[in-house]
Amino acid sequence: MILRLISTIVLISLFTAFFAVSKQASMSISADAKVTIFTAKKVITMEPATPEASAIAVSGDKIVGIGDKESLEIWKKKYNAKIDDRFKDKVIMPGLIDPHVHPSLPAVLTQFVFLAPDDWELPTGTFPGAKTPQDYKAMLSKQVETYFDDANRDPNVPFISWGYHGLWHGDVYRQQLNDWFGDKPVMIWHRSFHEIIGNDAAFKLLGIDESSANGEKDVDWEKGHFWENGFVKMIPKMTFLLAPDRYRQGMETFVTMMREAGVTSAMDMGVGIFGDPIGEAKLIHTVMDNKKAPARLVLTPIITDFIARGKSPEQALQEVEQWNANNSERVMFDKHFKLMMDGAIYSGLSQYKFPGYIDGHQGQWMAPMEVTYSYAETFWNAGYQLHAHTNGDASADALIDIVRKLQAQRPRFDHRATLEHFAYVTDEQIAQMHELGMTISANPYYQYILSDIYAEKWLGEDRARNMVPLGTARKYGMKVALHSDCPMAPLSPLTLAWAAVNRTTINDNENNQYQALSVDEALRAITIDAAWMMRKESQIGSIRTGKQADFTILEDDPYKVDPMKIKDIDIWGVVFSGQVYPNQKQ
């Protein structure tokens, strides 16, 4: 009986495998397929065996051939392929990938003005940066004046400016805002996104009083300062942020930002940060699907959403599994889950080992470690890829310990647990991550904007100059993806590649060239290695027969321009799933 049962199982397994192979074998191009051959000055494939080409044959949403016109002649003969020469003077790359964005953040923040240490160029306007307290006060005052002079402004919405940072702009809290702007409701949103500060008039308008802060350690009511968990609890008072019409317009702005940056695939690394993951995902679907956005977006549930809503790890997993039912071609959940280790890098709340911050202040853990581990274990055991917001080396130690314990209790091959941000880690931690099968998604803009000021104020020269140690990661053979964490950096993969290659700072200082990437490594980190981090390397990230027909169309070759000019290369538009989408200026 047992032998018969085993034989039956074996036969079923063989039949299933045969059926799968047969089904795969039947996926051939149809006899009446329409084929288009795009020609270019150069095609950068990111495929080592065939790194360059000058033509790509596309049928539907897939690549069917690469080479030159002559080698693709068979497609013209057999399928009467159409030759499309509109890119003949341009460079084609694989569709650029940003594996860590927050669509809802720019969708919300671009409703307002920006005033940060760095310059911002957005579809909603150009916003020069302010690097001194004097410049910040003067420019903020001008923004406030313009806002309250607008007769069409919504009287129920306070003035909000995003980008304040005390290391550049000095102490600006409730009292300063009261003194500067009196009974005008004014709020400044910190450059980290994790903090907000308001004056008396703003709190009165929003119905916030001292009782709103009772029992919350992440609030300084006297200063009018809400951060991390205190900020999360304040969001429900700001209902206008996700008002459907405002949010929809903001999401359309985000889609424009992706297209203008040449991004055809991205990961939302934290759906639910505003406390309503279902509503947020629905609004993202509405814009991405109905507007036929030329990009796909993978949504990632985040631990802090479930903790705030009082959901256990098991309940969180059950909810997430249900969310998959609404997946579409452009917006999908795909078995990713995000942990939050330490606080925001811009806020100085990252966790560092000895000697910590040189001014003596302390970082912050986002949740008790046993709680973080319980969620990690539940989603690990369910086969999810874990991603962890991790900035300081003490936080990296904690994450490495979690992955080590997870591997001990339930070993997994090719799990790709990802350390997100990579602000500061040590050589031996990178070696340990490599041995554990972890991977890295880094924000190289951190070292551009923060290294100088952190060297002076918070970390000292040695640690600050080694922020985002990509060179060490490559030394150990680790795959590296580059992300913007938009709006922590501009939504621009070419800017990220530029920052990783040149390692200059906002003040034009060189910043430890040992940790730089080569141009090729940086371009891989925004294409095929970013796709690998998303577990989509067989579908996107390079130009190869059988893959998605996703391309970014450039006016110049990033391998040939001055490395300092990489971020300035003009992007003509994108091809997404075989369809051409020029930027509006074309």
Side-chain angles (χ1 to χ4, degrees):
M1 182 68 179
I2 293 176
L3 288 174
R4 185 180 302 168
L5 179 61
I6 293 173
S7 298
T8 302
I9 292 172
V10 170
L11 285 172
I12 291 172
S13 299
L14 289 172
F15 177 78
T16 301
F18 175 78
F19 179 77
V21 171
S22 298
K23 184 178 179 181
Q24 182 71 21
S26 68
M27 294 175 62
S28 57
I29 188 169
S30 64
D32 59 350
K34 294 182 179 179
V35 176
T36 300
I37 297 175
F38 294 103
T39 64
K41 179 168 62 177
K42 180 180 179 180
V43 176
I44 300 170
T45 70
M46 305 312 296
E47 287 283 330
T50 53
E52 296 183 15
S54 59
I56 313 168
V58 172
S59 179
D61 62 352
K62 296 289 193 300
I63 301 167
V64 296
I66 62 169
D68 54 25
K69 274 188 177 182
E70 290 71 26
S71 67
L72 297 178
E73 185 67 23
I74 187 173
W75 295 100
K76 196 167 186 303
K77 290 180 178 178
K78 289 185 174 294
Y79 292 91
N80 194 28
K82 173 187 173 184
I83 304 296
D84 190 328
D85 285 329
R86 76 180 86 181
F87 307 137
K88 64 181 180 179
D89 297 321
K90 306 188 188 304
V91 175
I92 298 179
M93 280 192 68
L96 301 182
I97 299 170
D98 191 327
H100 186 138
V101 297
H102 292 282
S104 290
L105 271 60
V108 165
L109 291 177
T110 56
Q111 300 174 23
F112 311 108
V113 293
F114 280 34
L115 181 54
D118 47 335
D119 301 334
W120 281 80
E121 184 76 37
L122 299 168
T124 54
T126 298
F127 302 98
K131 296 182 185 177
T132 68
Q134 295 77 18
D135 285 346
Y136 183 76
K137 180 181 178 181
M139 296 169 75
L140 181 67
S141 297
K142 183 64 176 176
Q143 289 182 339
V144 171
E145 180 184 354
T146 300
Y147 180 78
F148 285 101
D149 282 346
D150 183 358
N152 295 318
R153 69 178 180 85
D154 186 339
N156 297 311
V157 178
F159 167 85
I160 296 176
S161 180
W162 175 85
Y164 163 76
H165 200 294
L167 291 185
W168 283 273
H169 304 142
D171 288 343
V172 182
Y173 292 109
R174 178 208 291 263
Q175 190 57 54
Q176 285 84 359
L177 295 178
N178 284 341
D179 292 343
W180 296 351
F181 304 116
D183 59 358
K184 294 177 180 176
V186 171
M187 307 187 83
I188 53 175
W189 210 319
H190 197 276
R191 181 67 176 73
S192 68
F193 185 82
H194 292 232
E195 309 177 46
I196 200 163
I197 298 160
N199 67 357
D200 289 342
F203 292 135
K204 181 179 179 180
L205 179 65
L206 298 177
I208 297 171
D209 56 29
E210 189 169 2
S211 65
S212 306
N214 285 346
E216 178 51 65
K217 64 183 180 61
D218 295 346
V219 173
D220 187 327
W221 177 246
E222 289 302 314
K223 291 184 174 181
H225 183 199
F226 291 69
W227 68 94
E228 297 296 2
N229 293 315
F231 171 59
V232 170
K233 290 183 178 179
M234 187 180 181
I235 292 296
K237 297 286 189 178
M238 304 171 71
T239 55
F240 54 86
L241 295 178
L242 293 179
D245 288 344
R246 291 174 66 100
Y247 182 81
R248 187 177 297 109
Q249 180 59 52
M251 269 301 300
E252 290 176 2
T253 299
F254 172 76
V255 169
T256 299
M257 290 166 66
M258 281 200 294
R259 190 193 69 244
E260 290 183 350
V263 174
T264 57
S265 293
M267 285 186 71
D268 178 352
M269 197 55 71
V271 67
I273 56 176
F274 290 107
D276 180 14
I278 295 175
E280 188 178 338
K282 183 177 180 180
L283 285 168
I284 292 172
H285 269 288
T286 297
V287 173
M288 295 285 288
D289 293 339
N290 293 355
K291 296 291 185 179
K292 297 190 182 302
R296 66 184 56 80
L297 189 62
V298 176
L299 306 181
T300 307
I302 186 171
I303 184 174
T304 47
D305 165 52
F306 298 104
I307 292 175
R309 293 192 288 119
K311 301 294 183 181
S312 70
E314 294 74 22
Q315 290 171 326
L317 176 62
Q318 186 177 21
E319 280 194 19
V320 172
E321 292 286 312
Q322 293 171 351
W323 295 347
N324 291 324
N326 296 318
N327 285 353
S328 68
E329 176 191 1
R330 287 176 166 80
V331 183
M332 68 212 74
F333 289 92
D334 191 28
K335 293 184 78 71
H336 297 265
F337 187 77
K338 185 183 179 185
L339 308 171
M340 294 289 290
M341 303 300 290
D342 54 353
I345 181 72
Y346 282 97
S347 300
L349 294 178
S350 306
Q351 291 284 15
Y352 293 95
K353 298 199 292 186
F354 183 84
Y357 291 95
I358 60 178
D359 66 354
H361 84 268
Q362 300 294 313
Q364 179 172 328
W365 297 108
M366 294 302 294
M369 205 53 60
E370 61 272 15
V371 173
T372 300
Y373 182 80
S374 67
Y375 281 88
E377 181 179 35
T378 298
F379 281 87
W380 172 278
N381 290 345
Y384 279 65
Q385 181 180 352
L386 298 180
H387 303 259
H389 165 114
T390 310
N391 281 310
D393 55 347
S395 181
D397 260 359
L399 178 61
I400 289 167
D401 187 55
I402 286 174
V403 175
R404 187 177 286 119
K405 288 178 180 177
L406 292 171
Q407 281 285 42
Q409 62 91 18
R410 184 163 183 167
R412 282 177 55 187
F413 294 100
D414 197 25
H415 57 83
R416 307 188 193 184
T418 306
L419 188 152
E420 299 282 344
H421 302 326
F422 200 56
Y424 180 75
V425 299
T426 62
D427 189 291
E428 60 269 20
Q429 287 174 329
I430 295 173
Q432 291 169 32
M433 287 191 288
H434 180 58
E435 292 301 319
L436 285 168
M438 297 172 65
T439 190
I440 294 166
S441 182
N443 188 338
Y445 198 77
Y446 282 173
Q447 59 82 32
Y448 164 75
I449 189 172
L450 297 176
S451 287
D452 287 346
I453 200 93
Y454 275 31
E456 177 186 353
K457 302 285 189 180
W458 279 350
L459 294 182
E461 282 287 331
D462 55 339
R463 287 180 293 168
R465 298 306 171 196
N466 272 296
M467 291 180 75
V468 196
L470 297 170
T472 302
R474 292 300 302 155
K475 180 184 77 172
Y476 284 99
M478 293 191 71
K479 291 185 186 295
V480 171
L482 301 180
H483 69 251
S484 69
D485 191 19
C486 185
M488 298 305 103
L491 204 172
S492 169
L494 290 180
T495 296
L496 302 176
W498 167 85
V501 168
N502 294 289
R503 282 191 70 92
T504 54
T505 71
I506 193 171
N507 299 314
D508 295 324
N509 296 318
E510 285 198 355
N511 199 39
N512 193 354
Q513 298 303 302
Y514 174 79
Q515 299 295 4
L517 295 182
S518 69
V519 171
D520 185 66
E521 289 169 338
L523 294 179
R524 289 184 62 85
I526 58 174
T527 53
I528 188 59
D529 288 350
W532 186 89
M533 197 281 294
M534 294 173 65
R535 300 197 321 268
K536 291 187 176 294
E537 70 273 18
S538 63
Q539 304 164 45
I540 59 175
S542 67
I543 297 175
R544 188 183 72 208
T545 296
K547 284 194 170 189
Q548 288 290 129
D550 293 352
F551 317 129
T552 300
I553 315 302
L554 308 178
E555 298 288 359
D556 292 295
D557 183 348
Y559 285 102
K560 292 185 177 180
V561 301
D562 181 337
M564 286 298 294
K565 300 293 186 182
I566 290 174
K567 68 180 177 63
D568 301 319
I569 294 174
D570 287 334
I571 296 174
W572 183 91
V574 299
V575 176
F576 176 72
S577 290
Q579 299 297 310
V580 178
Y581 296 83
N583 282 331
Q584 291 178 346
K585 63 184 179 181
Q586 304 301 332

